[in-house]
Amino acid sequence: RRWFYGPRVAQFEQEFAAFQDAKFCVSCNSGTAGLEIALEALGIGPGDEVIVPPYTFVATVSAVMRVGATPVFVDLDKSWCMDPNAAEAAITRRTRAIMPVHFGGRVCDIDRLGGIAQARGIALIEDACHSWGAKWKGKGTGALGLCGIFSFQESKNMTGGEGGAILTDNEKFAALCRSICNCGREEGMPWYHHINVGTNARLTEFQAALLSAQLSRLEAQTIKRERNAALLNSELAE
């Protein structure tokens, strides 16, 4: 008798946060919504710039435009991820965030990008929609910067048909993202108490149940994919 924010959602959020080595997981109904909510929670809007790569799904860029900010494209390096040197060169007084994409499971140079963001006092938002299970020096993607956004859309390596998640180690930021995702409500307050201008981007209990089942198989399926890829590379090389 509970279709959202019940025990299944709570269970999946705990499981996925632990799997990616993050302290907090805020589930949502898509990776696209997660990107928009994270930007909104940072107060990014008109007059602001967000540095993005050109090689990505449209949502990385459209999320920036949806909050009224300006996407600034910088090129890739040989890893097919954002070039830290190009990102640093693109920073202006209007830059509020760097949003690299861990493309195809390959993790960006977080040491460089994180260092640049920290030195300039701007946020590092990971578009981690391709990086379930990926790690950088022993820590999972998603909480390597301020936050990271994941997608569970039907084409992804783990899926609930649709779905997304925002991971972070920042409790205050997680609470604000949760509020925006849940119609601006405040946790522990009456149902019709709204403290923020939010939206309804909640994950359902049904999707959360699917995702918990998917997560239990993700490691084995990832290893199988890696073996298949190695076989294809070997045979195609001839």
Side-chain angles (χ1 to χ4, degrees):
R1 297 178 63 85
R2 187 67 187 265
W3 284 91
F4 62 88
Y5 282 1
R8 294 286 193 172
V9 169
Q11 176 185 332
F12 172 70
E13 289 180 341
Q14 292 169 4
E15 291 170 345
F16 194 65
F19 183 77
Q20 294 290 149
D21 307 311
K23 291 181 180 178
F24 304 100
C25 172
V26 178
S27 61
C28 53
N29 58 16
S30 70
T32 301
L35 291 167
E36 293 176 4
I37 289 165
L39 291 165
E40 189 177 347
L42 281 166
I44 293 174
D48 297 329
E49 295 176 349
V50 178
I51 296 173
V52 297
Y55 189 51
T56 181
F57 181 61
V58 67
T60 309
V61 181
S62 66
V64 176
M65 299 175 72
R66 290 270 294 170
V67 298
T70 301
V72 176
F73 291 100
V74 300
D75 214 342
L76 314 176
D77 60 22
K78 62 183 179 182
S79 72
W80 295 94
C81 294
M82 182 182 287
D83 183 339
N85 293 327
E88 186 171 28
I91 293 173
T92 72
R93 61 182 179 79
R94 297 171 59 190
T95 305
R96 292 287 309 280
I98 301 174
M99 192 153 69
V101 177
H102 303 307
F103 199 88
R106 187 187 290 269
V107 184
C108 300
D109 187 342
I110 289 296
D111 288 350
R112 286 288 318 285
L113 289 168
I116 292 165
Q118 187 173 24
R120 300 298 187 96
I122 58 181
L124 181 66
I125 303 170
E126 302 166 68
D127 183 331
C129 291
H130 278 202
S131 67
W132 329 262
K135 292 181 182 287
W136 178 263
K137 296 186 176 178
K139 183 174 172 64
T141 53
L144 299 170
L146 170 66
C147 65
I149 290 79
F150 289 79
S151 171
F152 309 119
Q153 181 260 355
E154 67 176 2
S155 70
K156 301 300 190 290
N157 286 14
M158 61 174 288
T159 180
E162 279 287 3
I166 304 165
L167 298 189
T168 182
D169 283 343
N170 186 312
E171 185 174 11
K172 185 176 179 181
F173 183 78
L176 180 53
C177 288
R178 173 86 66 194
S179 176
I180 295 170
C181 187
N182 188 25
C183 305
R185 293 183 171 92
E186 185 177 18
E187 192 136 7
M189 296 299 290
W191 183 246
Y192 290 114
H193 179 79
H194 306 269
I195 61 169
N196 294 300
V197 177
T199 187
N200 181 356
R202 298 181 298 245
L203 189 75
T204 69
E205 288 283 277
F206 183 73
Q207 289 167 299
L210 289 175
L211 287 166
S212 286
Q214 290 270 297
L215 185 59
S216 71
R217 298 192 290 266
L218 180 62
E219 189 170 358
Q221 289 179 346
T222 300
I223 291 169
K224 186 172 184 177
R225 285 189 175 98
E226 289 175 349
R227 287 176 182 156
N228 289 344
L231 177 62
L232 284 169
N233 285 344
S234 173
E235 294 299 311
L236 289 170
E238 299 181 8

